[in-house]
Amino acid sequence: MTVVRVKDRDGAERDVEAMNGAPLMETLRDAGFGIDGTCGGAMSCGTCHVYIDAAWAPRLPARSADEAAMLEALADFVELRPSSRLSCQIPVDDTLDGLTVEVAPQV
Ligand code: FES
């Protein structure tokens, strides 16, 4: 079981059980955190933007060039941080148990 701690846009935190084998975006979307995931993980909508806890960020797979480009496109609308990620590009498995993320502002 993989449990992720999520800080929502109002600053409230709660733990959710994440779906192993699926992108983190799907867990956040289905758990009602206001993540739309409009493009279904094609890196073209930016609605799945999250801030990864600084301690966890280096443990995740590196951003692809396409993910980095989508994040840069968001910079005119929301704060980008070094730990900004598209949650659709984070595959969940047991190694992410305890991961802490913050849902970024809506675009
Ligand atoms: S779901 Fe669209 S960019 Fe992640």
Side-chain angles (χ1 to χ4, degrees):
M1 183 167 85
T2 303
V3 175
V4 176
R5 172 153 292 199
V6 184
K7 185 175 187 179
D8 68 20
R9 292 184 179 118
D10 295 322
E13 294 186 13
R14 69 178 159 107
D15 292 339
V16 294
E17 186 175 344
M19 296 178 285
N20 281 355
L24 179 61
M25 175 273 285
E26 294 185 12
T27 290
L28 300 176
R29 180 194 62 198
D30 296 350
F33 285 102
I35 295 263
D36 294 331
T38 309
C39 74
M43 294 181 279
S44 61
C45 73
T47 62
C48 66
H49 178 202
V50 295
Y51 305 118
I52 304 294
D53 178 80
W56 275 92
R59 299 167 61 177
L60 298 181
R63 293 176 186 154
S64 67
D66 287 343
E67 181 182 358
M70 184 67 246
L71 287 166
E72 280 304 313
L74 295 175
D76 289 341
F77 308 103
V78 296
E79 176 192 6
L80 282 190
R81 300 178 188 170
S83 65
S84 285
R85 295 297 303 262
L86 298 177
S87 59
C88 65
Q89 300 305 302
I90 301 173
V92 174
D93 62 25
D94 289 339
T95 65
L96 297 189
D97 188 45
L99 173 72
T100 301
V101 304
E102 177 180 348
V103 180
Q106 198 154 25
V107 289

Coordinates of all heavy atoms in Angstrom, one line a residue:
M1 N 0.9 -1.2 0.0 CA 0.0 0.0 0.0 C 0.9 1.2 0.0 O 1.9 1.3 0.7 CB -0.9 0.0 1.2 CG -1.9 1.1 1.3 SD -3.2 0.9 2.5 CE -2.3 1.5 4.0
T2 N 0.5 2.2 -0.8 CA 1.3 3.4 -0.9 C 0.4 4.6 -0.4 O -0.6 4.8 -1.0 CB 1.7 3.7 -2.4 OG1 2.5 2.6 -2.8 CG2 2.6 5.0 -2.4
V3 N 0.8 5.2 0.6 CA 0.1 6.3 1.2 C 0.8 7.6 0.9 O 2.0 7.7 1.2 CB -0.2 6.2 2.7 CG1 -0.9 7.4 3.3 CG2 -1.0 4.9 2.9
V4 N 0.1 8.6 0.4 CA 0.7 9.9 0.0 C 0.0 11.0 0.9 O -1.2 11.0 1.0 CB 0.5 10.2 -1.5 CG1 1.0 11.6 -1.9 CG2 1.1 9.1 -2.3
R5 N 0.8 11.9 1.4 CA 0.2 13.0 2.2 C 0.0 14.2 1.2 O 1.0 14.6 0.5 CB 1.1 13.4 3.3 CG 0.6 14.7 4.0 CD 1.0 14.8 5.4 NE 0.3 13.8 6.2 CZ 0.1 13.8 7.5 NH1 0.6 14.8 8.2 NH2 -0.6 12.9 8.1
V6 N -1.2 14.7 1.1 CA -1.5 15.7 0.2 C -2.0 17.0 0.9 O -2.9 16.9 1.7 CB -2.6 15.3 -0.8 CG1 -2.9 16.3 -1.9 CG2 -2.2 13.9 -1.5
K7 N -1.4 18.1 0.5 CA -1.8 19.4 1.0 C -2.7 20.0 0.0 O -2.2 20.2 -1.2 CB -0.6 20.3 1.3 CG -0.9 21.6 2.0 CD 0.4 22.3 2.3 CE 0.2 23.6 3.1 NZ 1.4 24.3 3.4
D8 N -3.9 20.4 0.3 CA -4.8 20.9 -0.7 C -4.6 22.4 -0.9 O -3.8 23.0 -0.2 CB -6.3 20.5 -0.5 CG -6.9 21.2 0.7 OD1 -6.3 22.2 1.2 OD2 -7.9 20.7 1.2
R9 N -5.4 23.0 -1.8 CA -5.3 24.4 -2.1 C -5.7 25.3 -0.9 O -5.4 26.5 -1.0 CB -6.0 24.7 -3.4 CG -5.4 24.1 -4.6 CD -6.1 24.5 -5.9 NE -5.5 23.9 -7.0 CZ -6.1 23.1 -7.9 NH1 -7.4 22.7 -7.7 NH2 -5.4 22.5 -8.9
D10 N -6.4 24.8 0.0 CA -6.7 25.5 1.2 C -5.7 25.3 2.4 O -6.0 25.8 3.5 CB -8.1 25.1 1.7 CG -9.2 25.5 0.7 OD1 -9.1 26.6 0.0 OD2 -10.1 24.7 0.5
G11 N -4.7 24.5 2.1 CA -3.7 24.3 3.2 C -4.0 23.1 4.1 O -3.2 22.8 5.0
A12 N -5.1 22.4 3.9 CA -5.4 21.3 4.7 C -4.7 20.1 4.1 O -4.5 19.9 2.9 CB -6.9 21.0 4.6
E13 N -4.2 19.2 5.1 CA -3.5 18.0 4.7 C -4.3 16.7 5.0 O -5.0 16.7 6.1 CB -2.1 17.9 5.4 CG -1.2 19.0 5.0 CD 0.2 18.9 5.6 OE1 0.5 17.8 6.1 OE2 0.9 19.9 5.5
R14 N -4.2 15.8 4.1 CA -4.8 14.5 4.5 C -4.0 13.4 3.7 O -3.4 13.6 2.7 CB -6.3 14.4 4.2 CG -6.7 14.4 2.8 CD -8.2 14.3 2.7 NE -8.7 14.8 1.4 CZ -9.2 14.0 0.5 NH1 -9.3 12.7 0.7 NH2 -9.7 14.5 -0.6
D15 N -4.0 12.2 4.3 CA -3.4 11.1 3.6 C -4.4 10.3 2.7 O -5.5 10.2 3.1 CB -2.9 10.1 4.7 CG -1.8 10.7 5.5 OD1 -1.1 11.6 5.1 OD2 -1.5 10.1 6.7
V16 N -3.9 9.9 1.6 CA -4.7 9.2 0.6 C -3.9 8.0 0.2 O -2.7 8.0 0.1 CB -5.1 10.0 -0.6 CG1 -6.0 11.1 -0.2 CG2 -3.9 10.5 -1.4
E17 N -4.6 6.9 -0.1 CA -4.0 5.7 -0.6 C -3.9 5.9 -2.1 O -4.9 6.1 -2.8 CB -4.8 4.4 -0.2 CG -4.1 3.2 -0.6 CD -4.9 1.9 -0.2 OE1 -5.8 2.0 0.7 OE2 -4.6 0.9 -0.7
A18 N -2.7 5.8 -2.6 CA -2.4 6.0 -4.0 C -2.5 4.6 -4.8 O -2.2 3.6 -4.2 CB -1.1 6.6 -4.2
M19 N -2.8 4.7 -6.0 CA -3.0 3.5 -6.8 C -1.7 3.1 -7.5 O -1.2 3.8 -8.4 CB -4.0 3.8 -7.9 CG -5.4 4.1 -7.4 SD -6.6 4.4 -8.8 CE -6.1 6.1 -9.2
N20 N -1.1 2.1 -7.0 CA 0.2 1.6 -7.6 C -0.1 1.2 -9.0 O -1.1 0.7 -9.4 CB 0.7 0.4 -6.8 CG 1.4 0.7 -5.5 OD1 1.6 1.9 -5.2 ND2 1.8 -0.3 -4.8
G21 N 0.9 1.6 -9.9 CA 0.9 1.3 -11.3 C 0.1 2.4 -12.1 O 0.1 2.2 -13.3
A22 N -0.4 3.4 -11.4 CA -1.0 4.5 -12.1 C -0.3 5.8 -11.8 O 0.4 5.9 -10.8 CB -2.5 4.5 -11.7
P23 N -0.5 6.8 -12.7 CA 0.1 8.1 -12.4 C -0.5 8.7 -11.1 O -1.7 8.5 -10.9 CB -0.2 8.9 -13.6 CG -0.7 8.0 -14.7 CD -1.2 6.8 -14.0
L24 N 0.3 9.4 -10.4 CA -0.2 10.1 -9.2 C -1.4 11.0 -9.5 O -2.3 11.1 -8.7 CB 1.0 10.9 -8.6 CG 0.6 11.7 -7.3 CD1 0.2 10.8 -6.2 CD2 1.8 12.5 -6.9
M25 N -1.4 11.6 -10.7 CA -2.5 12.4 -11.1 C -3.8 11.7 -10.9 O -4.8 12.4 -10.5 CB -2.3 12.9 -12.6 CG -3.5 13.6 -13.2 SD -4.8 12.6 -13.9 CE -4.1 12.1 -15.4
E26 N -3.9 10.5 -11.2 CA -5.2 9.8 -11.1 C -5.7 9.7 -9.7 O -6.9 9.8 -9.4 CB -5.1 8.4 -11.8 CG -4.9 8.5 -13.3 CD -4.9 7.2 -14.0 OE1 -5.3 6.2 -13.5 OE2 -4.5 7.2 -15.2
T27 N -4.8 9.4 -8.8 CA -5.1 9.4 -7.4 C -5.6 10.7 -6.9 O -6.7 10.8 -6.2 CB -3.9 8.9 -6.5 OG1 -3.7 7.6 -6.8 CG2 -4.2 9.1 -5.0
L28 N -4.9 11.8 -7.3 CA -5.3 13.1 -6.8 C -6.6 13.5 -7.4 O -7.5 14.1 -6.8 CB -4.2 14.1 -7.2 CG -2.8 13.9 -6.6 CD1 -1.8 14.9 -7.1 CD2 -2.9 13.9 -5.0
R29 N -6.8 13.2 -8.7 CA -8.1 13.5 -9.4 C -9.2 12.8 -8.7 O -10.3 13.4 -8.4 CB -8.0 13.1 -10.9 CG -9.2 13.4 -11.7 CD -9.1 12.7 -13.0 NE -9.1 11.2 -12.8 CZ -8.7 10.3 -13.7 NH1 -8.3 10.7 -14.9 NH2 -8.7 9.0 -13.4
D30 N -9.1 11.5 -8.5 CA -10.2 10.7 -8.0 C -10.5 11.0 -6.5 O -11.6 10.7 -6.0 CB -9.9 9.2 -8.2 CG -9.8 8.9 -9.7 OD1 -10.1 9.7 -10.5 OD2 -9.3 7.7 -10.0
A31 N -9.5 11.5 -5.8 CA -9.7 11.8 -4.4 C -10.2 13.2 -4.1 O -10.4 13.6 -3.0 CB -8.3 11.7 -3.6
G32 N -10.5 13.9 -5.2 CA -11.2 15.2 -5.1 C -10.4 16.4 -4.7 O -10.8 17.3 -4.0
F33 N -9.1 16.4 -5.2 CA -8.3 17.5 -4.9 C -8.3 18.7 -5.9 O -7.5 19.6 -5.9 CB -6.8 17.1 -4.7 CG -6.6 16.3 -3.4 CD1 -6.5 15.0 -3.4 CD2 -6.5 17.1 -2.2 CE1 -6.3 14.3 -2.2 CE2 -6.3 16.4 -1.0 CZ -6.2 15.0 -1.0
G34 N -9.3 18.6 -6.8 CA -9.4 19.7 -7.8 C -8.4 19.5 -8.9 O -8.2 20.5 -9.7
I35 N -7.9 18.4 -9.1 CA -7.0 18.1 -10.2 C -7.8 17.5 -11.3 O -8.5 16.5 -11.2 CB -5.9 17.0 -9.8 CG1 -5.0 17.6 -8.7 CG2 -5.2 16.5 -11.0 CD1 -3.7 18.2 -9.2
D36 N -7.8 18.3 -12.5 CA -8.7 17.8 -13.6 C -8.1 16.7 -14.4 O -8.7 15.8 -14.9 CB -9.1 19.0 -14.4 CG -9.9 20.0 -13.7 OD1 -10.7 19.6 -12.8 OD2 -9.8 21.2 -14.0
G37 N -6.8 16.9 -14.7 CA -6.1 15.9 -15.6 C -6.8 15.9 -17.0 O -6.9 14.8 -17.6
T38 N -7.1 17.0 -17.4 CA -7.9 17.2 -18.7 C -7.3 16.4 -19.9 O -8.0 15.8 -20.7 CB -8.0 18.7 -19.0 OG1 -8.4 19.4 -17.9 CG2 -9.0 18.9 -20.2
C39 N -6.0 16.4 -20.0 CA -5.3 15.8 -21.2 C -5.0 14.3 -21.0 O -4.5 13.7 -21.9 CB -4.1 16.6 -21.6 SG -2.6 16.3 -20.5
G40 N -5.3 13.8 -19.8 CA -5.2 12.4 -19.6 C -3.7 12.0 -19.5 O -3.4 10.8 -19.6
G41 N -2.8 12.9 -19.2 CA -1.4 12.5 -19.0 C -0.6 12.8 -20.3 O 0.6 12.4 -20.3
A42 N -1.1 13.6 -21.2 CA -0.3 13.9 -22.4 C 0.6 15.1 -22.3 O 1.2 15.6 -23.2 CB -1.3 14.1 -23.6
M43 N 0.7 15.7 -21.1 CA 1.5 16.8 -20.8 C 1.1 18.0 -21.5 O 2.0 18.8 -21.9 CB 3.0 16.5 -21.0 CG 3.5 15.4 -20.1 SD 5.3 15.1 -20.3 CE 5.2 13.9 -21.7
S44 N -0.2 18.2 -21.8 CA -0.6 19.4 -22.6 C -1.6 20.3 -21.9 O -2.0 21.3 -22.4 CB -1.2 18.9 -23.9 OG -2.3 18.1 -23.7
C45 N -2.0 19.9 -20.6 CA -3.0 20.8 -20.0 C -2.4 21.5 -18.7 O -2.9 22.6 -18.4 CB -4.2 20.0 -19.6 SG -4.0 18.8 -18.2
G46 N -1.5 20.9 -18.0 CA -0.9 21.5 -16.9 C -1.8 21.5 -15.6 O -1.5 22.1 -14.6
T47 N -3.0 20.9 -15.7 CA -3.9 21.0 -14.6 C -3.5 20.0 -13.4 O -4.2 20.0 -12.4 CB -5.3 20.6 -15.0 OG1 -5.3 19.2 -15.5 CG2 -5.8 21.5 -16.1
C48 N -2.5 19.2 -13.6 CA -2.1 18.3 -12.6 C -0.8 18.7 -11.9 O -0.2 17.9 -11.2 CB -1.8 16.9 -13.3 SG -0.4 16.9 -14.4
H49 N -0.5 20.0 -12.0 CA 0.7 20.5 -11.4 C 0.7 20.4 -9.8 O -0.3 20.8 -9.2 CB 0.8 22.0 -11.8 CG 2.0 22.8 -11.2 ND1 1.9 24.2 -11.1 CD2 3.2 22.4 -10.7 CE1 3.1 24.6 -10.6 NE2 3.8 23.5 -10.4
V50 N 1.8 19.9 -9.3 CA 2.0 19.8 -7.9 C 3.4 20.2 -7.5 O 4.3 20.3 -8.3 CB 1.7 18.3 -7.4 CG1 0.3 17.9 -7.6 CG2 2.7 17.3 -8.0
Y51 N 3.5 20.6 -6.2 CA 4.8 20.8 -5.6 C 5.2 19.6 -4.8 O 4.5 19.3 -3.8 CB 4.8 22.1 -4.8 CG 4.3 23.3 -5.4 CD1 3.1 24.0 -5.0 CD2 4.9 23.9 -6.5 CE1 2.6 25.1 -5.6 CE2 4.5 25.0 -7.2 CZ 3.3 25.6 -6.7 OH 2.8 26.7 -7.3
I52 N 6.3 19.0 -5.1 CA 6.8 17.9 -4.3 C 7.6 18.4 -3.1 O 8.3 19.3 -3.2 CB 7.7 17.0 -5.2 CG1 7.0 16.6 -6.5 CG2 8.2 15.8 -4.5 CD1 5.8 15.7 -6.4
D53 N 7.4 17.7 -2.0 CA 8.2 18.0 -0.8 C 9.7 18.0 -1.2 O 10.1 17.1 -1.9 CB 7.9 17.0 0.3 CG 8.7 17.3 1.5 OD1 8.3 18.2 2.3 OD2 9.7 16.6 1.7
A54 N 10.4 19.0 -0.7 CA 11.8 19.1 -1.1 C 12.6 17.9 -0.8 O 13.5 17.5 -1.6 CB 12.4 20.3 -0.4
A55 N 12.3 17.2 0.3 CA 13.1 16.0 0.6 C 12.8 14.8 -0.4 O 13.6 14.0 -0.6 CB 12.8 15.5 2.0
W56 N 11.6 14.9 -1.0 CA 11.3 13.8 -1.9 C 11.6 14.1 -3.3 O 11.8 13.2 -4.1 CB 9.8 13.6 -1.8 CG 9.4 12.7 -0.7 CD1 9.0 13.0 0.6 CD2 9.3 11.2 -0.8 NE1 8.7 11.9 1.3 CE2 8.9 10.8 0.5 CE3 9.5 10.3 -1.8 CZ2 8.7 9.4 0.8 CZ3 9.3 9.0 -1.5 CH2 8.9 8.5 -0.2
A57 N 11.7 15.3 -3.7 CA 11.9 15.7 -5.1 C 13.1 15.0 -5.8 O 12.9 14.4 -6.9 CB 12.1 17.2 -5.2
P58 N 14.2 14.8 -5.1 CA 15.4 14.2 -5.8 C 15.2 12.7 -6.0 O 15.9 12.0 -6.7 CB 16.6 14.4 -4.9 CG 16.1 15.5 -3.9 CD 14.6 15.4 -3.9
R59 N 14.2 12.1 -5.3 CA 14.0 10.7 -5.4 C 13.0 10.3 -6.5 O 12.9 9.1 -6.7 CB 13.4 10.2 -4.0 CG 14.4 10.5 -2.9 CD 13.8 10.3 -1.5 NE 13.3 8.9 -1.3 CZ 12.7 8.5 -0.1 NH1 12.7 9.4 0.9 NH2 12.3 7.3 0.0
L60 N 12.5 11.2 -7.2 CA 11.6 10.9 -8.3 C 12.3 10.9 -9.6 O 13.4 11.5 -9.7 CB 10.5 12.0 -8.3 CG 9.6 12.1 -7.1 CD1 8.5 13.2 -7.3 CD2 8.9 10.8 -6.8
P61 N 11.7 10.2 -10.6 CA 12.3 10.2 -11.9 C 12.5 11.7 -12.4 O 11.6 12.5 -12.1 CB 11.3 9.4 -12.8 CG 10.5 8.7 -11.8 CD 10.5 9.4 -10.5
A62 N 13.5 11.9 -13.1 CA 13.8 13.3 -13.6 C 12.7 13.7 -14.6 O 12.0 12.9 -15.2 CB 15.1 13.4 -14.3
R63 N 12.5 15.0 -14.7 CA 11.5 15.6 -15.7 C 12.0 15.3 -17.1 O 13.2 15.4 -17.4 CB 11.4 17.1 -15.6 CG 10.9 17.6 -14.3 CD 11.0 19.2 -14.4 NE 10.6 19.8 -13.2 CZ 11.0 21.0 -12.8 NH1 11.9 21.7 -13.6 NH2 10.6 21.6 -11.7
S64 N 11.1 14.9 -17.9 CA 11.4 14.9 -19.4 C 11.4 16.3 -19.9 O 11.0 17.2 -19.3 CB 10.4 14.0 -20.1 OG 9.1 14.7 -20.1
A65 N 12.0 16.4 -21.2 CA 12.0 17.7 -21.8 C 10.5 18.2 -22.0 O 10.2 19.4 -21.9 CB 12.7 17.6 -23.1
D66 N 9.6 17.3 -22.4 CA 8.2 17.7 -22.6 C 7.6 18.2 -21.3 O 6.8 19.1 -21.3 CB 7.4 16.6 -23.2 CG 7.8 16.3 -24.6 OD1 8.4 17.2 -25.3 OD2 7.4 15.2 -25.1
E67 N 7.9 17.5 -20.2 CA 7.3 17.9 -18.9 C 7.9 19.3 -18.5 O 7.1 20.2 -18.1 CB 7.6 16.9 -17.8 CG 7.0 17.3 -16.5 CD 7.3 16.4 -15.3 OE1 8.0 15.4 -15.5 OE2 6.9 16.7 -14.2
A68 N 9.1 19.5 -18.7 CA 9.7 20.8 -18.4 C 9.1 21.9 -19.2 O 8.9 23.0 -18.7 CB 11.3 20.7 -18.6
A69 N 8.9 21.6 -20.5 CA 8.3 22.6 -21.3 C 6.9 23.0 -20.9 O 6.5 24.2 -20.9 CB 8.3 22.1 -22.8
M70 N 6.1 22.0 -20.5 CA 4.7 22.3 -20.0 C 4.8 23.1 -18.8 O 4.0 24.1 -18.6 CB 4.0 21.0 -19.8 CG 2.5 21.2 -19.4 SD 1.5 21.9 -20.7 CE 1.0 23.4 -20.0
L71 N 5.7 22.8 -17.9 CA 5.8 23.5 -16.6 C 6.2 25.0 -16.9 O 5.7 25.9 -16.3 CB 6.8 22.9 -15.7 CG 6.3 21.6 -15.0 CD1 7.5 20.8 -14.4 CD2 5.2 21.9 -14.0
E72 N 7.1 25.2 -17.8 CA 7.5 26.5 -18.2 C 6.3 27.3 -18.7 O 6.2 28.5 -18.5 CB 8.7 26.5 -19.2 CG 10.0 26.3 -18.6 CD 10.4 27.3 -17.5 OE1 10.2 28.5 -17.7 OE2 10.8 26.8 -16.4
A73 N 5.5 26.7 -19.5 CA 4.3 27.3 -20.0 C 3.4 27.8 -18.9 O 2.6 28.7 -19.1 CB 3.6 26.4 -21.0
L74 N 3.4 27.1 -17.8 CA 2.5 27.5 -16.7 C 3.0 28.7 -15.9 O 2.3 29.4 -15.1 CB 2.4 26.4 -15.7 CG 1.7 25.1 -16.1 CD1 1.8 24.0 -15.1 CD2 0.3 25.3 -16.5
A75 N 4.3 29.1 -16.1 CA 5.0 30.1 -15.3 C 4.3 31.4 -15.3 O 4.4 32.2 -14.4 CB 6.4 30.2 -15.6
D76 N 3.6 31.7 -16.4 CA 2.9 33.0 -16.5 C 1.6 33.0 -15.7 O 1.1 34.1 -15.5 CB 2.5 33.3 -18.0 CG 3.7 33.6 -18.9 OD1 4.7 33.9 -18.3 OD2 3.5 33.4 -20.1
F77 N 1.2 31.9 -15.2 CA -0.1 31.8 -14.5 C 0.1 31.5 -13.0 O -0.8 31.9 -12.2 CB -1.0 30.8 -15.2 CG -1.1 31.1 -16.6 CD1 -0.4 30.3 -17.6 CD2 -1.9 32.1 -17.1 CE1 -0.6 30.5 -18.9 CE2 -2.0 32.3 -18.5 CZ -1.3 31.5 -19.4
V78 N 1.0 30.6 -12.7 CA 1.2 30.1 -11.3 C 2.6 30.1 -10.9 O 3.5 30.1 -11.8 CB 0.6 28.7 -11.1 CG1 -0.9 28.7 -11.4 CG2 1.3 27.7 -12.0
E79 N 2.9 30.1 -9.6 CA 4.2 30.0 -9.1 C 4.9 28.6 -9.5 O 4.2 27.6 -9.3 CB 4.2 30.1 -7.6 CG 5.6 29.9 -7.0 CD 5.6 29.8 -5.5 OE1 4.5 29.7 -4.9 OE2 6.6 29.7 -4.9
L80 N 6.0 28.7 -10.1 CA 6.8 27.5 -10.3 C 7.8 27.4 -9.2 O 8.4 28.4 -8.8 CB 7.5 27.5 -11.6 CG 6.7 27.2 -12.9 CD1 7.7 27.0 -14.1 CD2 5.8 26.0 -12.7
R81 N 8.1 26.2 -8.7 CA 9.1 25.9 -7.7 C 10.1 24.9 -8.3 O 9.7 24.2 -9.2 CB 8.5 25.4 -6.4 CG 7.5 26.4 -5.8 CD 6.9 25.8 -4.5 NE 5.9 26.6 -4.0 CZ 5.0 26.2 -3.0 NH1 5.2 25.1 -2.5 NH2 4.1 27.1 -2.6
P82 N 11.3 24.8 -7.7 CA 12.2 23.8 -8.2 C 11.6 22.4 -8.1 O 12.0 21.5 -8.9 CB 13.4 23.9 -7.2 CG 13.4 25.4 -6.8 CD 11.9 25.7 -6.8
S83 N 10.7 22.2 -7.2 CA 10.1 20.9 -7.0 C 8.8 20.7 -7.8 O 8.0 19.8 -7.6 CB 9.8 20.6 -5.5 OG 8.9 21.5 -5.0
S84 N 8.4 21.7 -8.7 CA 7.2 21.6 -9.5 C 7.3 20.3 -10.4 O 8.3 20.1 -11.0 CB 7.0 22.8 -10.3 OG 6.6 23.9 -9.6
R85 N 6.2 19.6 -10.4 CA 6.1 18.4 -11.3 C 4.6 18.3 -11.8 O 3.7 18.8 -11.2 CB 6.4 17.1 -10.5 CG 7.8 17.0 -10.0 CD 8.8 17.0 -11.2 NE 8.6 16.0 -12.1 CZ 9.3 14.8 -12.1 NH1 10.2 14.6 -11.2 NH2 9.1 13.9 -13.1
L86 N 4.5 17.7 -13.0 CA 3.2 17.2 -13.5 C 3.0 15.9 -12.8 O 3.7 14.9 -13.1 CB 3.2 17.1 -15.0 CG 3.5 18.4 -15.7 CD1 3.6 18.1 -17.2 CD2 2.5 19.5 -15.4
S87 N 1.9 15.8 -12.0 CA 1.7 14.5 -11.3 C 1.3 13.4 -12.3 O 1.4 12.2 -11.9 CB 0.6 14.7 -10.2 OG -0.6 15.2 -10.8
C88 N 0.9 13.7 -13.5 CA 0.7 12.7 -14.5 C 1.9 12.0 -14.9 O 1.9 10.9 -15.6 CB -0.1 13.2 -15.7 SG 0.8 14.4 -16.7
Q89 N 3.1 12.5 -14.6 CA 4.4 12.0 -15.0 C 5.1 11.3 -13.8 O 6.2 10.9 -13.9 CB 5.3 13.0 -15.5 CG 4.7 13.7 -16.8 CD 4.3 12.7 -17.9 OE1 5.2 12.0 -18.3 NE2 3.0 12.7 -18.2
I90 N 4.3 11.0 -12.7 CA 4.9 10.4 -11.6 C 4.2 9.0 -11.4 O 3.0 9.0 -10.8 CB 4.7 11.3 -10.3 CG1 5.5 12.6 -10.5 CG2 5.3 10.5 -9.1 CD1 5.2 13.6 -9.4
P91 N 4.8 8.0 -11.8 CA 4.2 6.6 -11.6 C 4.3 6.2 -10.1 O 5.3 6.4 -9.5 CB 5.0 5.7 -12.5 CG 6.3 6.4 -12.7 CD 6.1 7.9 -12.5
V92 N 3.2 5.7 -9.6 CA 3.1 5.4 -8.2 C 3.6 3.9 -8.0 O 3.1 3.0 -8.8 CB 1.7 5.5 -7.6 CG1 1.6 5.0 -6.2 CG2 1.3 7.0 -7.7
D93 N 4.4 3.7 -7.1 CA 4.8 2.4 -6.6 C 5.1 2.4 -5.1 O 5.1 3.5 -4.5 CB 5.9 1.7 -7.5 CG 7.2 2.5 -7.4 OD1 7.4 3.2 -6.4 OD2 8.0 2.4 -8.3
D94 N 5.5 1.3 -4.6 CA 5.7 1.2 -3.1 C 6.8 2.2 -2.7 O 6.8 2.6 -1.5 CB 6.1 -0.2 -2.7 CG 4.9 -1.1 -2.8 OD1 3.8 -0.7 -2.8 OD2 5.1 -2.4 -2.9
T95 N 7.7 2.5 -3.5 CA 8.8 3.4 -3.1 C 8.4 4.8 -2.8 O 9.1 5.6 -2.2 CB 9.9 3.5 -4.2 OG1 9.4 4.1 -5.4 CG2 10.4 2.1 -4.6
L96 N 7.1 5.1 -3.2 CA 6.6 6.5 -2.9 C 5.8 6.6 -1.6 O 5.2 7.6 -1.3 CB 5.8 7.0 -4.1 CG 6.5 7.2 -5.4 CD1 5.6 7.9 -6.4 CD2 7.8 7.9 -5.3
D97 N 5.8 5.5 -0.9 CA 5.0 5.5 0.4 C 5.6 6.6 1.3 O 6.8 6.6 1.6 CB 5.1 4.1 1.1 CG 4.2 4.0 2.3 OD1 3.0 4.4 2.2 OD2 4.7 3.6 3.3
G98 N 4.7 7.5 1.7 CA 5.1 8.6 2.6 C 5.4 9.9 1.8 O 5.7 10.9 2.4
L99 N 5.3 9.8 0.5 CA 5.5 11.0 -0.3 C 4.6 12.1 0.1 O 3.4 11.9 0.5 CB 5.2 10.7 -1.8 CG 5.2 11.8 -2.8 CD1 6.6 12.3 -3.0 CD2 4.6 11.4 -4.1
T100 N 5.1 13.4 0.1 CA 4.3 14.5 0.5 C 4.2 15.5 -0.7 O 5.3 15.8 -1.2 CB 4.9 15.2 1.7 OG1 4.9 14.3 2.8 CG2 4.0 16.4 2.1
V101 N 3.0 15.9 -1.1 CA 2.9 16.8 -2.2 C 1.9 17.9 -1.8 O 1.0 17.7 -1.0 CB 2.4 16.1 -3.5 CG1 3.3 15.0 -3.9 CG2 1.0 15.6 -3.4
E102 N 2.0 19.0 -2.5 CA 1.1 20.1 -2.4 C 0.4 20.4 -3.7 O 1.1 20.5 -4.7 CB 1.8 21.4 -1.9 CG 1.0 22.6 -1.7 CD 1.8 23.8 -1.3 OE1 2.9 23.6 -0.8 OE2 1.3 24.9 -1.3
V103 N -0.9 20.5 -3.8 CA -1.6 20.8 -5.0 C -1.3 22.3 -5.4 O -1.6 23.2 -4.6 CB -3.1 20.5 -4.9 CG1 -3.8 20.8 -6.2 CG2 -3.3 19.1 -4.5
A104 N -0.8 22.5 -6.6 CA -0.5 23.9 -7.0 C -1.8 24.6 -7.3 O -2.9 24.0 -7.6 CB 0.4 23.8 -8.3
P105 N -1.8 25.9 -7.4 CA -3.0 26.7 -7.7 C -3.5 26.3 -9.1 O -2.8 25.9 -10.0 CB -2.5 28.1 -7.7 CG -1.3 28.2 -6.9 CD -0.7 26.8 -7.1
Q106 N -4.8 26.4 -9.2 CA -5.5 26.1 -10.5 C -5.1 27.0 -11.6 O -4.9 28.2 -11.4 CB -7.0 26.1 -10.2 CG -7.8 25.4 -11.3 CD -9.1 24.9 -10.7 OE1 -9.7 25.5 -9.8 NE2 -9.7 23.9 -11.3
V107 N -4.9 26.5 -12.8 CA -4.6 27.3 -13.9 C -5.9 27.5 -14.8 O -6.8 26.8 -14.7 CB -3.5 26.7 -14.8 CG1 -2.2 26.7 -14.1 CG2 -3.9 25.2 -15.2
Ligands
FES1 S1 -2.8 15.6 -16.9 FE1 -2.5 17.1 -18.4 S2 -0.5 17.7 -18.0 FE2 -0.8 16.2 -16.6

